[in-house]
Amino acid sequence: MKIINTKFKDLKLYKANLFSDNRGYLREIFKKKILQKNLIFHYFAKSKKNVFRGFHFQSKSQQEKLVSVLEGAIIDICIDLRKNSKTFGKTFSIILSENNCKSLYIPRGFGHAYFSAKKINIIHYKLSNYYHPKF
């Protein structure tokens, strides 16, 4: 896995290793020895083309996220909501897809959304905290 820094403190891209042959492929998504985060909650989301989801943010029990696309492509968008950050209020966007094998690590303090670009889009999330709807 290759780590790619962004202009936002702690917001990072991970370029996964892809092993493919005539049967299909195997793609690494997470290695604790590289990311060194305790991501305890996992889920998948499936979205049709032209669906916009977000912005999601928990004011308490904030979540770190690792977002990966297993099928399709999304335009992933983050907004820095950390009041003491040099990039407060600024947005970051990137295309995550099954083809580019990139995952986005989003630290606490960011709002998160995505726009689905393909007919079918399957997104995998790894999170550091559980979803708390009251926050």
Side-chain angles (χ1 to χ4, degrees):
M1 298 184 97
K2 179 181 175 186
I3 300 170
I4 304 164
N5 291 316
T6 70
K7 293 180 181 180
F8 292 73
K9 186 176 189 273
D10 299 324
L11 184 72
K12 299 185 182 297
L13 285 166
Y14 290 84
K15 176 79 168 132
N17 295 322
L18 183 72
F19 306 97
S20 62
D21 60 26
N22 61 351
R23 301 168 294 172
Y25 68 86
L26 174 97
R27 176 179 157 194
E28 296 177 346
I29 292 178
F30 175 76
K31 284 185 177 178
K32 188 164 181 143
K33 68 181 181 179
I34 293 174
L35 190 53
Q36 297 181 3
K37 301 292 179 181
N38 189 27
L39 303 175
I40 61 167
F41 179 50
H42 303 238
Y43 69 88
F44 293 93
K46 184 175 180 179
S47 297
K48 297 177 182 177
K49 187 174 184 172
N50 297 326
V51 168
F52 180 81
R53 294 196 188 256
F55 277 90
H56 299 109
F57 178 76
Q58 288 186 175
S59 58
K60 294 183 182 177
S61 300
Q62 292 184 10
Q63 298 169 309
E64 299 168 67
K65 298 177 181 178
L66 182 65
V67 182
S68 307
V69 173
L70 304 180
E71 183 178 338
I74 62 172
I75 301 169
D76 199 288
I77 309 151
C78 299
I79 184 167
D80 190 348
L81 300 173
R82 302 171 297 179
K83 291 181 182 173
N84 296 326
S85 171
K86 293 178 182 177
T87 52
F88 174 73
K90 297 191 185 304
T91 60
F92 174 86
S93 64
I94 189 157
I95 295 173
L96 301 177
S97 73
E98 66 180 302
N99 293 329
N100 70 17
C101 297
K102 291 180 181 174
S103 297
L104 181 63
Y105 170 74
I106 306 165
R108 288 177 173 86
F110 279 79
H112 177 249
Y114 67 84
F115 179 79
S116 298
K118 299 288 185 176
K119 184 177 179 180
I120 298 294
N121 303 276
I122 300 174
I123 298 89
H124 178 249
Y125 289 85
K126 292 178 73 65
L127 299 106
S128 63
N129 203 344
Y130 296 101
Y131 172 63
H132 297 284
K134 66 182 177 180
F135 300 125

